[in-house]
Amino acid sequence: MRSVEEQQARVAAAAVAPRPVRVAIAESQGLMCAEEVVTERPMPGFDQAAIDGYAVRSVDVLSVGDGAGEISLPVMGSIEAGARTPSRLQPRQAARVQTGAPMPTLADAVLPLRWTDGGESRVRILRSVRSGAYVRRTGDDVQPGDVAVRSGTIIGPAQVGLLAAVGRDRVLVHPRPRLSVMCVGGELVDVSRSPGTGQVYDVNSYALAAAGRDAGAEVNRVGIISTDPAELRETVEGQVNRNEIVVIAGAVGGAAAESVRTVLAELGEMEVARIAMHPGSVQGFGQLGRDRVPVFLLPANPVSALVVFEVMVRPLIRLSLGKRAPMRRVVQARTLAPISSVAGRTGYLRGQLMRDQDTGEYLVQALGGAPGASTHLLATLAEANCLVVIPSEVDEVRTGETVDVAFLAQRG
């Protein structure tokens, strides 16, 4: 039986980022930048007021507060943000300015409104101001030739804003890996139909497609596919040729799964193995087609399929996106009740994670922690906000002991 870590290493070795594409910056969030974005002009491109107030020469107001008496200056006019007509300040003058307005020539500081009486034709100065105060100088943020966004950076809101600020409407990125999700099983019907005797709804293609989107992939949910060898080969081959990752649920265990694996073996390397984890011990992984696309075979049981996806498939998607930390955040939590696991296998058990308001300590309550039928209840997975990770050498965790807990996506 192979360890979880060994299987994860085999999967990670198959990670390949899709070829970079150029996209609109509005569509780039969450993707990894694939170029050095070099600025061509300074930002800001002109000296501008950082706050609403009065543009002045600092030398004209230096004596305020030094016993020289009250100082007031004539106001030459008002300059709004976006003003395109150049203006010039004469000695011992002030100009009313808005935030972002271009500074008039000779002005080297902005007096905040609260330091004045707010006069319109003449303004009384209550405090002095130093040269450069409340002014954004040309090139304060970036100079021509500076790198605004580096290759390998994950583009977030700040990077999108910076790209816009330097005049870039498109950027080269590593796109989301394309993931295809399909299911096999004669008992399956789509949710748009009523199941007959012996039939069940196709849960996996919907749940796994959602998990793929949550991980950051561009998902194509194929749904239920035929197990007829010719049709199966055509479908799988088509999906392998147009996606970076393929997931087939229901393809381990049973006679139908055996026929699926026979067809897949014609397309490349595929191995079904027992992995030292539960649920989802039996699973398959291989690389098919001319591009050796990673293909996963997952159990038919929805809970097992989702757990295997979380442990094996999701990290591959995150690696393909260029994430430096592909695994979920893990914290240590104290158990609120005993937890049973399967000896010799790493347990990934559903749980509810909470935090003690007084101590800040993490606490966890396992949901259906005992081995057996309860590990397959999809309803408890929907209630879980974490996976409790039980080491393979542990089969019982007592109340109050500390365990590793992996955060799942937060529900809004």
Side-chain angles (χ1 to χ4, degrees):
M1 189 178 292
R2 186 177 299 145
S3 72
V4 171
E5 292 75 17
E6 289 173 332
Q7 185 72 354
Q8 286 176 327
R10 290 166 66 92
V11 170
V16 178
R19 292 179 180 177
V21 296
R22 198 167 295 279
V23 301
I25 61 172
E27 300 171 2
S28 67
Q29 186 171 353
L31 302 178
M32 184 170 69
C33 186
E35 65 172 320
E36 299 280 297
V37 179
V38 179
T39 59
E40 298 178 355
R41 54 179 63 90
M43 188 182 77
F46 54 89
D47 291 353
Q48 60 181 237
I51 60 171
D52 290 353
Y54 293 88
V56 296
R57 299 193 319 155
S58 59
V59 67
D60 290 337
V61 296
L62 281 178
S63 59
V64 176
D66 293 339
E70 178 182 298
I71 290 180
S72 64
L73 299 176
V75 179
M76 56 151 305
S78 178
I79 306 174
E80 298 180 350
R84 302 180 67 180
T85 303
S87 57
R88 182 181 180 87
L89 196 69
Q90 298 298 324
R92 296 193 60 79
Q93 278 188 337
R96 184 74 176 259
V97 290
Q98 291 182 354
T99 302
M103 292 287 288
T105 304
L106 295 186
D108 65 343
V110 175
L111 274 165
L113 286 176
R114 65 182 182 278
W115 293 0
T116 73
D117 68 348
E120 294 185 3
S121 60
R122 195 169 189 90
V123 60
R124 185 161 60 92
I125 312 301
L126 306 178
R127 287 182 56 176
S128 62
V129 67
R130 71 181 187 280
S131 178
Y134 303 107
V135 176
R136 295 183 66 213
R137 294 294 188 189
T138 302
D140 269 355
D141 281 351
V142 291
Q143 295 282 352
D146 286 350
V147 177
V149 180
R150 297 193 177 278
S151 178
T153 300
I154 303 300
I155 298 176
Q159 286 73 30
V160 172
L162 189 53
L163 288 167
V166 301
R168 290 291 296 268
D169 63 339
R170 301 182 73 82
V171 63
L172 193 67
V173 297
H174 294 288
R176 302 183 189 281
R178 292 167 296 183
L179 168 70
S180 176
V181 178
M182 60 193 90
C183 299
V184 295
E187 77 282 11
L188 299 177
V189 295
D190 191 73
V191 294
S192 61
R193 296 175 52 195
S194 297
T197 303
Q199 293 183 315
V200 296
Y201 286 124
D202 166 26
V203 173
N204 278 325
S205 73
Y206 288 95
L208 296 173
R213 294 187 194 97
D214 179 72
E218 179 184 320
V219 178
N220 174 33
R221 189 192 68 83
V222 179
I224 306 166
I225 61 173
S226 170
T227 54
D228 173 78
E231 293 183 28
L232 176 64
R233 178 181 175 124
E234 181 181 1
T235 301
V236 174
E237 195 167 21
Q239 295 304 314
V240 164
N241 288 338
R242 66 175 65 100
N243 293 278
E244 281 77 41
I245 304 171
V246 173
V247 170
I248 307 174
V252 290
E258 187 66 35
S259 64
V260 170
R261 296 198 296 273
T262 300
V263 172
L264 297 183
E266 300 172 5
L267 301 175
E269 301 173 4
M270 176 59 65
E271 177 196 50
V272 175
R274 283 193 173 273
I275 309 303
M277 62 178 285
H278 78 95
S281 171
V282 181
Q283 55 188 266
F285 176 72
Q287 292 176 272
L288 306 183
R290 63 179 182 273
D291 294 327
R292 293 178 54 78
V293 172
V295 177
F296 294 86
L297 305 183
L298 273 53
N301 178 270
V303 170
S304 299
L306 279 169
V307 170
V308 174
F309 190 100
E310 175 70 28
V311 177
M312 299 296 173
V313 187
R314 189 178 194 278
L316 181 64
I317 294 172
R318 306 298 283 174
L319 286 171
S320 297
L321 282 166
K323 302 293 185 181
R324 296 182 179 88
M327 310 304 290
R328 297 276 196 183
R329 180 189 172 196
V330 174
V331 300
Q332 290 196 318
R334 184 164 53 85
T335 59
L336 295 177
I339 302 175
S340 297
S341 187
V342 178
R345 301 183 190 179
T346 302
Y348 295 91
L349 310 178
R350 307 172 298 286
Q352 287 184 333
L353 185 67
M354 57 206 83
R355 203 162 192 176
D356 189 298
Q357 292 185 348
D358 296 327
T359 66
E361 179 184 24
Y362 284 109
L363 307 171
V364 67
Q365 173 73 55
L367 303 172
S374 62
T375 61
H376 302 302
L377 295 178
L378 190 60
T380 57
L381 186 62
E383 291 298 317
N385 64 2
C386 69
L387 286 179
V388 184
V389 184
I390 308 298
S392 58
E393 66 272 13
V394 176
D395 59 2
E396 291 286 341
V397 178
R398 294 188 295 270
T399 300
E401 291 187 337
T402 299
V403 293
D404 285 342
V405 175
F407 281 102
L408 296 179
Q410 296 297 310
R411 295 191 294 273

